[in-house]
Amino acid sequence: MALHVPKAPGFASMLKEGARAYSGLEEAVYRNINACKEFARSVRSAYGPNGMNKMIINHIEKQFVTSDAGTIMRELDVEHPAAMLMIEASQMQEAEAGDGTNFVVIFCGALLELAEELLRLGVTSSDITEGYEKALAKALEILPTLSCHEIKDYRSLIPVRNAIRAAVMSKQLGNEDFLADLIAKACISIMPEQTTFNVDNIRVCKILGSGLHMSEVVPGMVFKRFVEGEVSSATKAKIALYSCPVDIIQTETKGTVLIKSAEELKTFSQGEENMLEQQIKAIVDTGVNVIVSGGKFGDMALHYMNKYGIMAVRLNSKFDLRRLGKAVNGTVLPRLTPPSTEELGYCDNVYVHELGDTSVTIFKSEAAESRIATIVIRGSTDNYMDDIERVIDDGVNTFKGLTRDGRFLAGGGAVEIELAQQLAEFADTLPGLEQYAVRKFAAALEFFPKALAENSGVNATEIVNQLYLAHKQGKRTEGFDIESELPATIDVTTKNIFDLYTAKYWGLKYAVGAACTILKVDEIIMAKRAGGPKPRAGGPGSDDEA
C-alpha cells in the first residue's frame, strides 16, 4: 500500500502538486524590491553622457555594445516578474516618448529602494503607495511651471538642433553637435505641411568604412545594392514599381505542349520572347525609365531593358519597396502591366554611387519637401554604427515630441532637484503618514544628479548639496556641470542642455505606476508548469535571487 503524504496546510494545499506560494513582507515584497533594486543599479551606470557601455550577447549570440537602456532591456532575457513590470513601464515610455527609458527604470528602482526603508520602519505598503501617488500628482502640477524653453517654429534649424542636442549628447559625448545637426536637417527636410511627422520617414543606411564625420543626409532613399542591368543612372526618372518578378510570365496551371519539329520549338521560344518584349515595350511607352521590382529580373527581361535603356533595381524587402513607393509617390503593382499616369513614381535622380568599397543605389529628390530622408552613417565597426543608429532614433523621437509639445525643461539634474525641493516643502503640509512617502519621493529624484556625478567620477553628495544651495537661491536652471573636473554647477540653458517636457511627464507617470504596482503585491503564486521545465534559479523563492 502506497504511503500517503499529506499536503502542507494553508494556501498551498489548494494548488496542484509542485506549485509554490510566497507571502508576506519577507517572502514577497522584499524579494521583489531587491530584484528591482539590483536591476536599476545595473542600468544606472549607463545613465548620462559619461555612462558606461554594456556588452550584451543575446539568445541568438548577437553582440550589442551600448549604453541605451531600451536596447539593453530588449535584449536581456529577464524572467523575474517584478523586474518585468519595470521593463514593461520603460517600453511604454519608449512607445510614448521615444526616449527616457533609463529614467523610468532608475526612478522606479529608487522609489522601491527608499520604500523598503519605510516598510522596515513599519509604514504599510498602502500608505507608501498613497504618498507616492500624491507626490506624483503634485510633481505633475509643478512640472509645467519649470518649463524654461519652448520651440514654436520647428522648421528652423538652429533652435531644433539646440533642443535635440542633449538627447544625442547622452549617448555620444563629443559628437553631439555634428549628429544633432544631421538629425535636425533630416527631420526638417521631410516635415509635412499638413499631416503630423512620421518617425519611419527617417531612414538609416550604415556603410562600413571612413569616419563618422563623413556621414550625410540624402533627401530620398539609399539602398546597399547594385543595379541589375547595364544602365546605372537616370535623371527625371519615371519609376514603375512591381512586387512580382520581371520575367516571362509563368502559366497559372500546368500544361503540356507537343512539339513535333525543330521549327515548332523555335517558333514557340520566339513567341515567348516576343510576348516579353511587347510587355517591356508597353512599359517603355508610358515614359518609364526605371523599373524597381521586389522579385528577380530574368535574363531575357534584362536584355530587353538594356535594349530600351531602362534601369533595373531589385529590392529584397517588401517594406523597402513600400517605403520607396511612398518616397517617389508611386503605386506598387502586383502584375507586370504598364502603369497608368497615377501609378507612376517620380524621382529627380536615380544613380549608382560608390561609398568606400560598397556600391549603393540612390533615389534622390531635389524638391523642397522630400517625403523620406536617409541618413548615411559611416563608421569603423558594425557595433559602433548600430549605436549611432540608436542615437539617431532618440534624436528623431525628440523631434517628433517637440512637434507635439515644444516645451523643454532644464537638463543636467536641474529639474529633478527643483522638483525635489518643492516636494519636500509640500510634504511638510501633509498631516498623515503619506508625508514620509512624499519625502522619499523627493529623495528618489536626487538619484539622477547623483548618477550623473558618479558616472563622471565626481563626489555625488557634494554635487547634490551645491545644487540645493543654488536652487534655494532661486537659480532654477542650475544643473551639474559635466565638463568640470571638480564638483561644480552651471546654468544648463547656456549650454543648451534641455530635456523634453513630454518625456519627463510620461517618465514620472510610468515609473510611479510600476513602483506602486510592485509595492501592492503581497503574495507570489507560481503554479506548476504542466510538462514544462522547472523554474530557473533566480526566480522568486530561490536563494540566489537577484
Side-chain angles (χ1 to χ4, degrees):
M1 184 176 169
L3 179 67
H4 174 68
V5 180
K7 284 191 176 183
F11 190 82
S13 64
M14 293 186 285
L15 302 174
K16 279 185 179 180
E17 195 179 334
R20 292 185 287 170
Y22 308 97
S23 60
L25 283 176
E26 287 297 334
E27 281 196 337
V29 183
Y30 292 151
R31 283 177 182 277
N32 282 346
I33 289 173
N34 282 333
C36 295
K37 240 167 39 177
E38 290 301 321
F39 187 72
R41 277 178 191 158
S42 69
V43 293
R44 196 185 303 162
S45 61
Y47 185 70
N50 290 329
M52 301 296 282
N53 282 346
K54 308 284 181 195
M55 186 180 282
I56 312 291
I57 295 151
N58 70 3
H59 62 288
I60 55 168
E61 301 292 314
K62 188 179 178 188
Q63 182 180 301
F64 295 82
V65 180
T66 182
S67 63
D68 179 47
T71 306
I72 293 167
M73 286 180 276
R74 195 164 48 249
E75 299 307 327
L76 283 177
D77 198 9
V78 175
E79 193 184 48
H80 197 285
M84 277 301 297
L85 284 170
M86 287 172 81
I87 290 172
E88 283 167 15
S90 78
Q91 285 169 347
M92 278 308 302
Q93 169 74 0
E94 179 140 25
E96 192 67 50
D99 197 10
T101 47
N102 210 343
F103 177 90
V104 173
V105 175
I106 293 171
F107 191 45
C108 184
L111 289 172
L112 292 169
E113 194 171 324
L114 297 172
E116 188 180 7
E117 295 172 16
L118 292 177
L119 287 167
R120 292 192 189 279
L121 289 171
V123 182
T124 62
S125 296
S126 56
D127 283 329
I128 296 170
T129 54
E130 201 175 318
Y132 280 173
E133 280 159 5
K134 276 190 180 174
L136 173 66
K138 185 66 178 173
L140 296 181
E141 187 187 309
I142 297 166
L143 207 59
T145 66
L146 302 182
S147 171
C148 64
H149 182 66
E150 188 169 0
I151 291 180
K152 290 188 169 69
D153 179 16
Y154 39 76
R155 294 179 192 278
S156 181
L157 180 65
I158 293 167
V160 168
R161 183 183 64 200
N162 292 342
I164 64 177
R165 185 174 173 272
V168 175
M169 188 181 183
S170 66
K171 307 270 192 314
Q172 280 292 321
L173 184 60
N175 296 320
E176 66 272 11
D177 290 319
F178 175 74
L179 284 169
D181 196 48
L182 216 61
I183 296 163
K185 279 179 186 169
C187 293
I188 291 166
S189 71
I190 64 151
M191 186 65 205
E193 289 290 342
Q194 304 296 327
T195 54
T196 54
F197 176 80
N198 186 355
V199 175
D200 275 347
N201 289 352
I202 301 289
R203 308 306 305 159
V204 171
C205 181
K206 296 172 284 191
I207 295 172
L208 207 58
S210 195
L212 176 64
H213 288 268
M214 293 301 289
S215 303
E216 59 180 328
V217 177
V218 175
M221 293 197 76
V222 178
F223 300 103
K224 283 200 280 187
R225 296 197 65 80
F226 196 73
V227 290
E228 299 291 311
E230 291 172 6
V231 184
S232 59
S233 66
T235 52
K236 294 186 178 174
K238 287 187 177 178
I239 303 165
L241 300 116
Y242 297 102
S243 56
C244 61
V246 179
D247 201 356
I248 294 165
I249 296 172
Q250 302 292 322
T251 53
E252 287 182 15
T253 56
K254 286 184 179 180
T256 306
V257 179
L258 187 63
I259 292 170
K260 296 177 180 175
S261 65
E263 192 61 40
E264 283 181 7
L265 178 61
K266 195 175 172 185
T267 312
F268 179 76
S269 301
Q270 194 69 44
E272 272 193 326
E273 288 169 20
N274 290 342
M275 190 176 164
L276 184 60
E277 185 174 6
Q278 283 166 15
Q279 284 177 319
I280 302 290
K281 181 79 169 62
I283 293 167
V284 172
D285 290 341
T286 61
V288 169
N289 51 359
V290 177
I291 292 179
V292 180
S293 172
K296 68 181 182 69
F297 284 86
D299 292 339
M300 188 58 66
L302 281 175
H303 165 72
Y304 289 121
M305 287 172 73
N306 292 336
K307 178 181 172 181
Y308 291 110
I310 299 179
M311 187 174 175
V313 181
R314 182 184 177 187
L315 298 179
N316 287 333
S317 165
K318 63 180 179 183
F319 301 108
D320 279 345
L321 191 64
R322 210 175 293 162
R323 286 191 193 104
L324 181 62
K326 189 177 180 182
V328 300
N329 199 20
T331 306
V332 180
L333 302 173
R335 294 183 63 203
L336 196 63
T337 53
S340 65
T341 313
E342 293 78 24
E343 291 166 340
L344 275 176
Y346 176 81
C347 190
D348 293 304
N349 275 309
V350 183
Y351 59 96
V352 173
H353 187 53
E354 205 161 278
L355 292 168
D357 61 350
T358 309
S359 293
V360 292
T361 303
I362 299 174
F363 289 78
K364 193 172 186 179
S365 175
E366 307 288 351
E369 188 188 301
S370 174
R371 288 165 174 267
I372 288 185
T374 302
I375 299 175
V376 178
I377 302 172
R378 306 301 307 279
S380 53
T381 66
D382 286 323
N383 264 316
Y384 178 66
M385 290 192 294
D386 287 344
D387 217 26
I388 298 293
E389 185 179 7
R390 286 186 276 272
V391 172
I392 289 169
D393 186 54
D394 283 352
V396 171
N397 276 297
T398 303
F399 180 82
K400 183 186 177 181
L402 73 88
T403 60
R404 291 173 172 178
D405 187 341
R407 288 177 290 173
F408 282 83
L409 305 164
V415 73
E416 285 86 357
I417 290 293
E418 184 62 33
L419 269 178
Q421 185 180 293
Q422 293 196 34
L423 285 171
E425 290 167 9
F426 169 66
D428 296 335
T429 65
L430 295 172
L433 285 171
E434 306 97 62
Q435 63 175 295
Y436 296 107
V438 174
R439 282 203 184 90
K440 291 295 183 189
F441 189 102
L445 287 162
E446 294 172 11
F447 276 60
F448 295 99
K450 279 181 181 175
L452 288 171
E454 283 166 3
N455 293 346
S456 304
V458 176
N459 187 320
T461 311
E462 198 173 329
I463 281 293
V464 171
N465 292 340
Q466 285 186 21
L467 286 171
Y468 269 122
L469 181 65
H471 284 255
K472 281 269 193 288
Q473 294 166 354
K475 298 176 183 174
R476 284 181 157 198
T477 55
E478 202 74 10
F480 170 52
D481 184 6
I482 210 151
E483 291 171 359
S484 172
E485 290 181 13
L486 298 168
T489 63
I490 192 172
D491 182 355
V492 291
T493 55
T494 61
K495 294 278 186 180
N496 295 320
I497 299 168
F498 300 115
D499 286 341
L500 191 64
Y501 170 81
T502 50
K504 200 69 75 180
Y505 175 88
W506 288 109
L508 288 167
K509 284 192 91 162
Y510 289 136
V512 174
C516 290
T517 306
I518 292 163
L519 285 171
K520 284 176 183 172
V521 172
D522 73 331
E523 198 159 0
I524 301 167
I525 303 154
M526 296 183 72
K528 186 185 177 187
R529 303 176 192 182
K534 288 182 181 177
R536 292 185 203 170
S542 65
D543 295 329
D544 59 339
E545 177 196 341

